[in-house]
Amino acid sequence: MTIIDSQVHAYEANTPKRPWRTVPNWPASATGDETVAAMDKLGIDGAIFISAFSLYGYDASYAVEVQRAHPGRFAIVKPVDPDDPAVDEIVAEWKKTPGAVGVRIFLREEEKRAADDPGHARILRAAVRHDLPVNILCWGNLDAGTALIDRHPDTRFILDHLGILQPRVPPAPPQPWADLPKVLALAKRPNVVIKVSGACTLAREPYPFPDIWDPLARVFDAWGFERCLWGTDWTRAFAVVNYEQAVRPFVETKRLSDSERAMLMGGACAKAYGWSPKKG
Protein backbone atom coordinates (compact mmCIF):
# COMPACT_ATOMS: atom_id res chain seq x y z
CA MET A 1 0.00 0.00 0.00
CA THR A 2 1.34 3.40 -1.02
CA ILE A 3 0.60 6.01 1.65
CA ILE A 4 0.32 9.66 0.61
CA ASP A 5 -0.40 12.38 3.15
CA SER A 6 -2.66 14.81 1.29
CA GLN A 7 -1.78 17.80 3.49
CA VAL A 8 1.59 18.73 5.00
CA HIS A 9 3.28 22.09 5.49
CA ALA A 10 7.07 22.05 5.58
CA TYR A 11 8.71 25.28 6.73
CA GLU A 12 11.87 26.73 8.23
CA ALA A 13 12.17 28.23 11.70
CA ASN A 14 11.02 31.84 12.05
CA THR A 15 14.19 33.84 11.35
CA PRO A 16 14.96 37.11 9.53
CA LYS A 17 16.19 35.01 6.59
CA ARG A 18 12.67 33.67 6.00
CA PRO A 19 10.33 35.39 8.46
CA TRP A 20 6.82 34.17 9.19
CA ARG A 21 3.81 36.40 8.48
CA THR A 22 2.10 35.13 11.64
CA VAL A 23 3.30 32.93 14.50
CA PRO A 24 0.81 30.07 14.94
CA ASN A 25 1.02 27.35 17.61
CA TRP A 26 2.96 25.02 15.33
CA PRO A 27 6.28 23.24 16.00
CA ALA A 28 9.24 25.64 15.82
CA SER A 29 10.29 24.14 12.51
CA ALA A 30 9.33 21.35 10.11
CA THR A 31 11.91 21.65 7.36
CA GLY A 32 11.81 19.46 4.29
CA ASP A 33 14.46 17.17 5.77
CA GLU A 34 12.64 17.01 9.13
CA THR A 35 9.35 16.26 7.39
CA VAL A 36 10.87 13.46 5.32
CA ALA A 37 12.40 11.96 8.48
CA ALA A 38 9.01 12.07 10.20
CA MET A 39 7.34 10.48 7.16
CA ASP A 40 9.99 7.74 7.03
CA LYS A 41 9.43 6.93 10.71
CA LEU A 42 5.69 6.46 10.09
CA GLY A 43 5.90 4.63 6.76
CA ILE A 44 4.51 7.50 4.65
CA ASP A 45 5.75 7.30 1.07
CA GLY A 46 4.95 10.82 -0.11
CA ALA A 47 2.96 13.94 0.61
CA ILE A 48 1.18 16.84 -1.00
CA PHE A 49 3.10 19.82 0.36
CA ILE A 50 0.76 22.80 0.63
CA SER A 51 2.84 25.98 0.86
CA ALA A 52 1.99 27.43 4.28
CA PHE A 53 -0.10 30.55 3.72
CA SER A 54 -0.14 31.57 7.39
CA LEU A 55 3.67 31.64 7.37
CA TYR A 56 4.66 32.62 3.82
CA GLY A 57 1.56 34.10 2.20
CA TYR A 58 1.56 33.63 -1.57
CA ASP A 59 5.34 32.99 -1.70
CA ALA A 60 5.84 29.29 -2.46
CA SER A 61 9.61 29.51 -2.91
CA TYR A 62 10.35 27.27 0.08
CA ALA A 63 8.02 24.58 -1.25
CA VAL A 64 9.86 24.71 -4.58
CA GLU A 65 13.22 24.34 -2.80
CA VAL A 66 12.07 21.37 -0.76
CA GLN A 67 10.49 19.63 -3.74
CA ARG A 68 13.74 20.08 -5.66
CA ALA A 69 15.65 18.45 -2.80
CA HIS A 70 13.13 15.59 -2.39
CA PRO A 71 11.45 15.26 -5.81
CA GLY A 72 10.13 11.75 -5.25
CA ARG A 73 8.55 12.54 -1.90
CA PHE A 74 6.65 15.81 -2.40
CA ALA A 75 4.25 17.31 -4.87
CA ILE A 76 3.51 20.98 -4.23
CA VAL A 77 0.46 23.26 -4.11
CA LYS A 78 0.61 27.06 -4.10
CA PRO A 79 -1.92 29.56 -2.73
CA VAL A 80 -2.86 32.11 -5.39
CA ASP A 81 -3.80 35.75 -4.72
CA PRO A 82 -7.29 36.58 -6.05
CA ASP A 83 -6.39 40.28 -6.10
CA ASP A 84 -3.43 39.79 -8.44
CA PRO A 85 -4.45 40.76 -12.02
CA ALA A 86 -1.65 38.54 -13.38
CA VAL A 87 -3.29 35.37 -12.09
CA ASP A 88 -3.30 33.58 -15.43
CA GLU A 89 0.44 34.13 -15.92
CA ILE A 90 1.12 33.02 -12.32
CA VAL A 91 -0.88 29.81 -12.73
CA ALA A 92 0.71 29.14 -16.14
CA GLU A 93 4.19 29.53 -14.62
CA TRP A 94 3.26 27.35 -11.64
CA LYS A 95 2.07 24.60 -13.99
CA LYS A 96 5.60 24.46 -15.45
CA THR A 97 7.21 24.17 -11.98
CA PRO A 98 8.59 20.68 -11.26
CA GLY A 99 6.27 18.87 -8.85
CA ALA A 100 3.47 21.45 -9.01
CA VAL A 101 0.10 19.67 -8.91
CA GLY A 102 -2.46 22.28 -7.80
CA VAL A 103 -3.31 25.74 -6.50
CA ARG A 104 -5.20 26.84 -3.40
CA ILE A 105 -7.84 29.44 -2.57
CA PHE A 106 -9.46 30.55 0.70
CA LEU A 107 -13.12 31.25 1.26
CA ARG A 108 -13.31 31.33 5.04
CA GLU A 109 -15.52 33.93 6.68
CA GLU A 110 -12.46 36.07 7.48
CA GLU A 111 -11.69 36.46 3.77
CA LYS A 112 -14.96 38.40 3.40
CA ARG A 113 -15.38 37.29 -0.21
CA ALA A 114 -18.58 36.23 -1.91
CA ALA A 115 -19.08 33.14 -4.06
CA ASP A 116 -19.15 35.39 -7.14
CA ASP A 117 -15.87 37.14 -6.28
CA PRO A 118 -14.20 38.09 -9.60
CA GLY A 119 -10.72 37.33 -8.26
CA HIS A 120 -11.63 33.76 -7.46
CA ALA A 121 -13.33 33.44 -10.85
CA ARG A 122 -10.04 34.48 -12.51
CA ILE A 123 -8.12 31.83 -10.57
CA LEU A 124 -10.64 29.11 -11.36
CA ARG A 125 -10.65 29.91 -15.08
CA ALA A 126 -6.85 29.83 -15.09
CA ALA A 127 -6.82 26.50 -13.25
CA VAL A 128 -9.14 24.97 -15.87
CA ARG A 129 -7.03 26.42 -18.70
CA HIS A 130 -3.83 25.00 -17.24
CA ASP A 131 -5.38 21.74 -15.98
CA LEU A 132 -4.72 22.11 -12.26
CA PRO A 133 -7.09 21.17 -9.44
CA VAL A 134 -8.04 23.89 -6.94
CA ASN A 135 -7.76 23.22 -3.21
CA ILE A 136 -10.43 25.22 -1.38
CA LEU A 137 -10.45 26.00 2.34
CA CYS A 138 -13.97 27.12 3.25
CA TRP A 139 -14.47 25.57 6.68
CA GLY A 140 -16.96 27.54 8.74
CA ASN A 141 -18.29 29.01 5.47
CA LEU A 142 -19.42 25.92 3.62
CA ASP A 143 -22.52 27.50 2.09
CA ALA A 144 -20.33 30.03 0.26
CA GLY A 145 -17.91 27.28 -0.77
CA THR A 146 -20.76 25.20 -2.17
CA ALA A 147 -22.11 28.20 -4.09
CA LEU A 148 -18.65 28.85 -5.58
CA ILE A 149 -18.31 25.20 -6.61
CA ASP A 150 -21.74 25.31 -8.23
CA ARG A 151 -20.75 28.41 -10.23
CA HIS A 152 -17.70 26.61 -11.67
CA PRO A 153 -18.71 23.08 -12.71
CA ASP A 154 -15.70 22.73 -15.03
CA THR A 155 -13.17 23.30 -12.22
CA ARG A 156 -11.74 20.32 -10.34
CA PHE A 157 -12.01 21.13 -6.63
CA ILE A 158 -10.32 19.47 -3.66
CA LEU A 159 -12.17 20.36 -0.44
CA ASP A 160 -9.73 20.94 2.41
CA HIS A 161 -10.11 19.41 5.88
CA LEU A 162 -13.51 17.74 5.41
CA GLY A 163 -15.01 21.21 4.96
CA ILE A 164 -15.37 21.26 8.76
CA LEU A 165 -13.81 23.87 11.06
CA GLN A 166 -11.18 22.15 13.19
CA PRO A 167 -9.75 23.26 16.54
CA ARG A 168 -6.19 24.52 16.94
CA VAL A 169 -6.19 23.65 20.64
CA PRO A 170 -8.05 20.94 22.58
CA PRO A 171 -10.76 20.13 23.31
CA ALA A 172 -12.92 19.69 20.23
CA PRO A 173 -16.12 21.80 20.28
CA PRO A 174 -19.27 20.25 21.79
CA GLN A 175 -20.71 19.49 18.32
CA PRO A 176 -17.59 19.09 16.14
CA TRP A 177 -19.50 17.48 13.24
CA ALA A 178 -22.34 20.04 13.12
CA ASP A 179 -21.62 20.84 9.43
CA LEU A 180 -21.59 17.17 8.41
CA PRO A 181 -25.01 17.33 6.63
CA LYS A 182 -23.67 20.11 4.37
CA VAL A 183 -20.53 18.05 3.67
CA LEU A 184 -22.64 15.04 2.71
CA ALA A 185 -24.84 17.15 0.42
CA LEU A 186 -21.74 18.52 -1.33
CA ALA A 187 -20.80 14.97 -2.36
CA LYS A 188 -23.43 15.20 -5.10
CA ARG A 189 -21.14 17.58 -7.04
CA PRO A 190 -19.07 15.38 -9.35
CA ASN A 191 -16.25 17.92 -9.74
CA VAL A 192 -15.19 17.78 -6.06
CA VAL A 193 -13.11 15.36 -4.00
CA ILE A 194 -12.65 15.71 -0.25
CA LYS A 195 -9.59 15.69 1.98
CA VAL A 196 -10.14 13.59 5.08
CA SER A 197 -7.40 15.63 6.72
CA GLY A 198 -7.21 16.66 10.36
CA ALA A 199 -10.08 14.30 11.21
CA CYS A 200 -8.57 13.24 14.53
CA THR A 201 -8.74 16.82 15.82
CA LEU A 202 -12.56 16.47 15.80
CA ALA A 203 -12.50 13.62 18.33
CA ARG A 204 -13.89 14.22 21.80
CA GLU A 205 -12.58 10.86 23.03
CA PRO A 206 -8.83 10.34 23.57
CA TYR A 207 -6.42 8.51 21.25
CA PRO A 208 -7.07 6.37 19.22
CA PHE A 209 -10.17 8.58 18.77
CA PRO A 210 -12.89 5.91 18.37
CA ASP A 211 -15.66 8.51 18.00
CA ILE A 212 -14.46 9.73 14.58
CA TRP A 213 -15.47 6.56 12.76
CA ASP A 214 -19.26 6.84 12.69
CA PRO A 215 -19.25 10.34 11.12
CA LEU A 216 -16.40 9.35 8.80
CA ALA A 217 -18.40 6.29 7.67
CA ARG A 218 -21.11 8.70 6.51
CA VAL A 219 -18.49 10.69 4.58
CA PHE A 220 -17.15 7.54 2.94
CA ASP A 221 -20.65 6.38 2.02
CA ALA A 222 -21.60 9.73 0.48
CA TRP A 223 -18.36 10.49 -1.33
CA GLY A 224 -16.96 7.02 -2.10
CA PHE A 225 -13.43 6.06 -1.13
CA GLU A 226 -12.12 6.97 -4.60
CA ARG A 227 -12.98 10.63 -3.76
CA CYS A 228 -11.64 10.67 -0.16
CA LEU A 229 -8.03 11.75 0.42
CA TRP A 230 -6.57 10.94 3.83
CA GLY A 231 -4.19 13.51 5.31
CA THR A 232 -2.89 14.85 8.60
CA ASP A 233 -2.06 18.57 8.44
CA TRP A 234 -0.01 17.60 11.46
CA THR A 235 1.88 20.86 12.00
CA ARG A 236 -1.35 22.88 12.20
CA ALA A 237 -2.95 20.15 14.32
CA PHE A 238 0.08 19.56 16.54
CA ALA A 239 -1.35 21.11 19.71
CA VAL A 240 -4.25 18.66 19.45
CA VAL A 241 -2.83 15.55 17.72
CA ASN A 242 0.77 14.69 16.92
CA TYR A 243 1.86 13.17 13.60
CA GLU A 244 1.90 9.57 14.78
CA GLN A 245 -1.55 9.93 16.38
CA ALA A 246 -2.93 11.25 13.07
CA VAL A 247 -1.58 8.23 11.16
CA ARG A 248 -1.97 5.13 13.32
CA PRO A 249 -5.77 5.16 13.79
CA PHE A 250 -6.20 4.89 10.01
CA VAL A 251 -3.51 2.23 9.60
CA GLU A 252 -4.82 0.11 12.48
CA THR A 253 -8.62 0.50 12.43
CA LYS A 254 -10.75 -2.56 11.72
CA ARG A 255 -13.43 -0.29 10.21
CA LEU A 256 -11.66 -0.28 6.82
CA SER A 257 -10.99 -3.18 4.46
CA ASP A 258 -7.54 -3.44 2.91
CA SER A 259 -8.80 -2.08 -0.41
CA GLU A 260 -10.66 0.80 1.27
CA ARG A 261 -7.57 1.69 3.30
CA ALA A 262 -5.34 1.63 0.22
CA MET A 263 -7.69 3.96 -1.68
CA LEU A 264 -8.22 6.33 1.26
CA MET A 265 -4.56 6.56 2.27
CA GLY A 266 -3.02 6.94 -1.16
CA GLY A 267 -4.95 5.78 -4.19
CA ALA A 268 -7.52 8.58 -4.25
CA CYS A 269 -4.84 11.22 -3.67
CA ALA A 270 -2.67 9.91 -6.52
CA LYS A 271 -5.70 10.03 -8.81
CA ALA A 272 -6.82 13.52 -7.77
CA TYR A 273 -3.40 15.12 -8.22
CA GLY A 274 -2.01 12.89 -10.97
CA TRP A 275 1.09 12.20 -8.87
CA SER A 276 2.65 9.25 -7.09
CA PRO A 277 5.74 9.22 -4.85
CA LYS A 278 8.98 7.54 -5.77
CA LYS A 279 11.24 6.63 -2.87
CA GLY A 280 14.99 6.36 -3.27
Side-chain angles (χ1 to χ4, degrees), residues 112-221:
K112 297 188 171 24
R113 291 180 185 273
D116 60 355
D117 182 85
H120 279 153
R122 273 199 304 272
I123 294 171
L124 300 180
R125 285 194 300 269
V128 171
R129 196 172 298 120
H130 301 292
D131 192 26
L132 287 170
V134 176
N135 295 247
I136 177 171
L137 181 61
C138 58
W139 60 12
N141 200 26
L142 203 50
D143 290 341
T146 300
L148 177 70
I149 288 165
D150 284 343
R151 291 177 68 89
H152 297 273
D154 295 333
T155 303
R156 290 186 290 138
F157 288 97
I158 298 174
L159 181 67
D160 287 338
H161 305 325
L162 287 158
I164 293 175
L165 189 60
Q166 298 176 2
R168 291 184 180 274
V169 293
Q175 300 294 329
W177 300 90
D179 274 349
L180 184 58
K182 295 179 181 179
V183 174
L184 302 179
L186 188 54
K188 296 182 177 69
R189 280 71 173 180
N191 60 323
V192 194
V193 300
I194 187 169
K195 282 188 200 168
V196 182
S197 48
C200 297
T201 66
L202 296 169
R204 293 194 52 84
E205 295 183 32
Y207 178 84
F209 318 123
D211 55 322
I212 67 172
W213 292 105
D214 285 347
L216 284 182
R218 297 179 66 192
V219 172
F220 302 149
D221 285 346

Side-chain angles (χ1 to χ4, degrees), residues 17-243:
K17 175 189 164 217
R18 192 176 253 120
W20 297 359
R21 289 170 62 246
T22 62
V23 183
N25 60 337
W26 297 10
S29 73
T31 64
D33 291 348
E34 290 168 342
T35 301
V36 167
M39 289 161 56
D40 285 345
K41 187 177 174 187
L42 295 170
I44 296 170
D45 299 290
I48 308 299
F49 173 1
I50 315 291
S51 181
F53 181 73
S54 56
L55 306 188
Y56 301 138
Y58 298 109
D59 177 7
S61 58
Y62 185 65
V64 172
E65 284 180 27
V66 169
Q67 197 281 335
R68 191 179 298 133
H70 303 280
R73 305 302 296 279
F74 294 112
I76 48 179
V77 170
K78 167 189 171 62
V80 179
D81 183 358
D83 294 323
D84 191 330
V87 154
D88 192 75
E89 293 90 335
I90 288 166
V91 174
E93 196 59 35
W94 183 245
K95 174 72 176 183
K96 298 180 204 163
T97 305
V101 294
V103 295
R104 192 184 199 199
I105 63 172
F106 302 90
L107 194 59
R108 302 165 294 188
E109 285 186 339
E110 57 259 44
E111 268 78 43
K112 297 188 171 24
R113 291 180 185 273
D116 60 355
D117 182 85
H120 279 153
R122 273 199 304 272
I123 294 171
L124 300 180
R125 285 194 300 269
V128 171
R129 196 172 298 120
H130 301 292
D131 192 26
L132 287 170
V134 176
N135 295 247
I136 177 171
L137 181 61
C138 58
W139 60 12
N141 200 26
L142 203 50
D143 290 341
T146 300
L148 177 70
I149 288 165
D150 284 343
R151 291 177 68 89
H152 297 273
D154 295 333
T155 303
R156 290 186 290 138
F157 288 97
I158 298 174
L159 181 67
D160 287 338
H161 305 325
L162 287 158
I164 293 175
L165 189 60
Q166 298 176 2
R168 291 184 180 274
V169 293
Q175 300 294 329
W177 300 90
D179 274 349
L180 184 58
K182 295 179 181 179
V183 174
L184 302 179
L186 188 54
K188 296 182 177 69
R189 280 71 173 180
N191 60 323
V192 194
V193 300
I194 187 169
K195 282 188 200 168
V196 182
S197 48
C200 297
T201 66
L202 296 169
R204 293 194 52 84
E205 295 183 32
Y207 178 84
F209 318 123
D211 55 322
I212 67 172
W213 292 105
D214 285 347
L216 284 182
R218 297 179 66 192
V219 172
F220 302 149
D221 285 346
W223 288 80
F225 282 97
E226 69 283 354
R227 295 169 65 205
C228 292
L229 286 56
W230 168 83
T232 65
D233 199 19
W234 70 272
T235 50
R236 189 266 310 167
F238 196 71
V240 185
V241 176
N242 69 34
Y243 203 3

